């Protein structure tokens, strides 16, 4: 059974506001998908057709955009999502150690969701623009840097609670 | 040469993002001054300042603006490039986080000069907190009549919108950015036509980096000649260098153009981590060809000096490598990024980055062959000048420089199936 997706009334108003920023409707696609993800935590297939209708964009185009960009989740992530930066400056300062530790700690490889669903994580090749605090991770909206393995443990505990991990 | 604070003055100051406070410090006076000048005069001033694009390419800013036609009959747009995804670069984050009104003021100045009434700031999706800071500042600017129907009470209408990216390095390339702004995947466009003629939504568009735009208020307030005099003959003023890697004090340091690299690393950066010898520097984001320690010895940091040294000043991201680094592994890290981020439109780039990535991994893992080294150089050669955008070149340049300058390390890896760098970083996992 397919569930359906709809914006809340509040988000529908936000969506109208987004539309006003651009001379063509299609341009609202990225921000609209961001809004879906904000509301739902990820972008389920039902939302693709919903957005396609809202914007008069073919659903294949919605899918194409969705899969091109790495920040949209097409499957349900953990309640908290972690990105470990593996780019040059972070690598120079210990990203490999951090990545290994996180994988062991959460018990799943990059791209996975920890048991119980508290955390999902991925190692990313892109520099996150925070090399001054290398090695670093992004946890949900925030950056955390200069991380030892213990710092990372503490961060996980503060965020998810020890039992959740 | 001292550290300067033309655009970094308010970094770390919690008050600066408040519009009232910014105004009390003389903020938005430069925009007001510009609005009382003829638009052409503003452009003239920027041309005289020798301000060059700080996003990577170093193109003279004032000159870029003059390419926008006066009578296209279409609206003009400004796209501010806040994608900041070149590895090693993090300065625009500081500007948006700590001094968002300086950016807004710069946007007003640019838009007045080029007859633009809508500006978009394209900010990378990962920058959630900087986005929130900038969004709040823009809201405040609207509430106080700094943006909107009558900018600062003058007969000039200007809207500023923030467009969030969604995780794709290629959207920092200016035409990839435009595609993404239009709601598409970020496939760069073939040029010409250049964005100044056919840009966002088919209309003439100026694309400038956050820091480039943020220098405008100072240039208008003081003068173009003053700004130019701070730098070298061909690169005016200052820029915010992003220092990272093996230094004791990584961070942002705003220095006048032409400041010696040694000063940045040893005085401001506190020297090399663990007091080990310097091995190499990647001076302008990871696309810049690597320089050996000897090449950095008497090197002034400005666009032309870096070009003369066979590298580039690029995005201002200076990454320092001490002698614990295996250059084969370092290149593998860099190349893997480009392979991952190639948008795939052009065969030399899509296939080339993939081949480079696989060959390098093979060498690191001990399965390399001697001819691999020549193959790497061959591929890199064929990837240059054969594609739609400069990502292909950006991926090829590091390969050429790392392999030629540190050839013995590549050969050793192939021959002995292992690294000969003492005390090196943990291997790639
Ligand atoms: C692959 C690639 C990635 C780029 N990424 C960025 C970026 O993240 N930020 C940026 O300002 N410029 C980036 N650029 C440069 C832009 O194409 C463009 O030159 C710049 O935004 C122009 O602004 P400026 O003249 O003020 O530097 C990139 C270029 C290429 C080829
Ligand atoms: S050079 Fe690479 S990134 Fe640029 S357009 Fe071609 S395939 Fe895409
Ligand atoms: S290399 Fe990790 S933030 Fe830049």
């Amino acid at each position: 059974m397919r569930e359906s997706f709809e914006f809340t009334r509040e988000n529908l108003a936000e969506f109208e506001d987004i539309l006003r920023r651009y001379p063509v409707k299609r341009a609202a696609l990225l921000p609209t998908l961001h809004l879906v993800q904000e509301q739902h935590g990820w972008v389920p297939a039902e939302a693709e057709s919903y957005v396609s209708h809202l914007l008069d964009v073919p659903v294949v185009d919605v899918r194409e955009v969705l899969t091109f960009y790495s920040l949209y989740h097409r499957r349900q992530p953990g309640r908290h999502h972690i990105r470990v930066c593996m780019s040059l400056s972070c690598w120079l300062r210990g990203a490999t150690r951090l990545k290994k530790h996180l994988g062991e700690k959460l018990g799943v490889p990059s791209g996975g969701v920890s048991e119980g669903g508290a955390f999902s994580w991925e190692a990313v090749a892109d520099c996150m623009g925070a090399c001054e605090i290398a090695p670093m991770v992004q946890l949900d909206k925030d950056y955390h840097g200069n991380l030892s393995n213990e710092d990372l443990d503490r961060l996980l505990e503060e965020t998810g609670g020890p039992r959740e991990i | 040469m001292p550290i300067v604070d033309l655009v970094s003055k308010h970094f770390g100051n919690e008050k600066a993002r408040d519009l009232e406070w910014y105004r009390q410090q003389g903020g938005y006076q430069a925009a007001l001054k510009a609005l009382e000048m003829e638009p052409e005069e503003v452009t003239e001033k920027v041309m005289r300042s020798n301000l060059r694009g700080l996003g990577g390419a170093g193109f003279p800013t004032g000159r870029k603006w003059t390419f926008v036609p006066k009578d296209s009959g279409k609206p003009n747009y400004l796209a501010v490039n806040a994608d900041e995804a070149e590895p090693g670069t993090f300065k625009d984050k500081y500007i948006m986080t700590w001094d968002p009104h300086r950016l807004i003021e710069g946007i007003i100045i640019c838009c007045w000069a080029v007859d633009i009434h809508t500006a978009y700031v394209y900010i990378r999706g990962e920058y959630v907190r900087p986005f929130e800071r900038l969004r709040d500042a823009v809201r405040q600017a609207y509430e106080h009549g700094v943006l909107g129907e009558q900018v600062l009470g003058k007969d000039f209408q200007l809207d500023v919108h923030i467009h969030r990216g969604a995780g794709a390095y290629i959207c920092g390339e200016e035409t990839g950015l435009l595609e993404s702004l239009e709601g598409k995947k970020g496939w760069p466009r073939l040029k010409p036509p250049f964005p100044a003629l056919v840009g966002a939504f088919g209309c003439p568009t100026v694309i400038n980096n956050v820091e480039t735009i943020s220098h405008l208020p100072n240039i208008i307030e003081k003068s173009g000649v003053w700004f130019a005099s701070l730098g070298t003959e061909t690169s005016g003023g200052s820029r915010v260098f992003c220092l990272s890697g093996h230094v004791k004090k990584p961070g942002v340091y705003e220095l006048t153009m032409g400041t010696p690299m040694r000063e940045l690393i040893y005085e401001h950066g506190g020297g090399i981590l663990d007091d080990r010898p310097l091995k190499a520097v990647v001076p302008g984001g990871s696309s810049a060809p690597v320089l050996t320690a000897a090449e950095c010895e008497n090197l002034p940091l400005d666009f032309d000096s870096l070009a003369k040294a066979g590298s580039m000043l690029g995005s201002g991201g200076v990454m320092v490598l001490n002698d614990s680094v295996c250059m084969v592994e370092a290149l593998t890290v860099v190349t893997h990024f480009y392979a991952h981020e190639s948008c795939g439109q052009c065969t030399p780039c899509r296939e080339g980055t993939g081949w480079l990535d696989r060959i390098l991994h093979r060498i690191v893992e001990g399965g390399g062959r001697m001819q691999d080294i020549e193959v790497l150089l061959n591929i890199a050669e064929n990837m240059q000048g054969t594609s739609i955008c400069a990502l292909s070149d950006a991926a090829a340049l590091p390969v050429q420089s790392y392999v030629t300058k540190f050839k013995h390390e590549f050969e050793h890896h192939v021959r002995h199936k292992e690294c000969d760098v003492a005390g090196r970083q943990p291997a790639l996992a």
Side-chain angles (χ1 to χ4, degrees), chain A residues 85-91 126-131 134 136, chain B residues 87-90:
Chain A
C85 175
M86 298 304 296
S87 213
L88 188 60
S89 292
C90 282
W91 176 77
D126 324 32
C127 163
M128 296 217 239
C131 326
M136 61 79 64
Chain B
T89 317
F90 42 88

Side-chain angles (χ1 to χ4, degrees), chain A residues 8 54 80 97 102 136 142 144:
Chain A
T8 59
L54 279 182
H80 303 283
R97 156 184 64 73
L102 187 61
M136 61 79 64
D142 287 299
H144 302 271

Side-chain angles (χ1 to χ4, degrees), chain A residues 86-88 91-92 95-97 99-100, chain B residues 326-336 357 360-365 413 419 424-429:
Chain A
M86 298 304 296
S87 213
L88 188 60
W91 176 77
L92 289 169
T96 313
R97 156 184 64 73
K99 173 184 154 186
K100 191 161 166 277
Chain B
C326 163
M327 298 307 280
V328 183
E329 289 192 347
L331 179 62
T332 308
V333 170
V334 170
T335 302
H336 181 66
D357 188 30
L360 283 164
H361 270 103
R362 178 162 84 204
I363 297 176
V364 167
E365 285 153 17
H413 255 274
C419 186
R424 85 192 151 96
Q425 279 282 310
L428 293 168

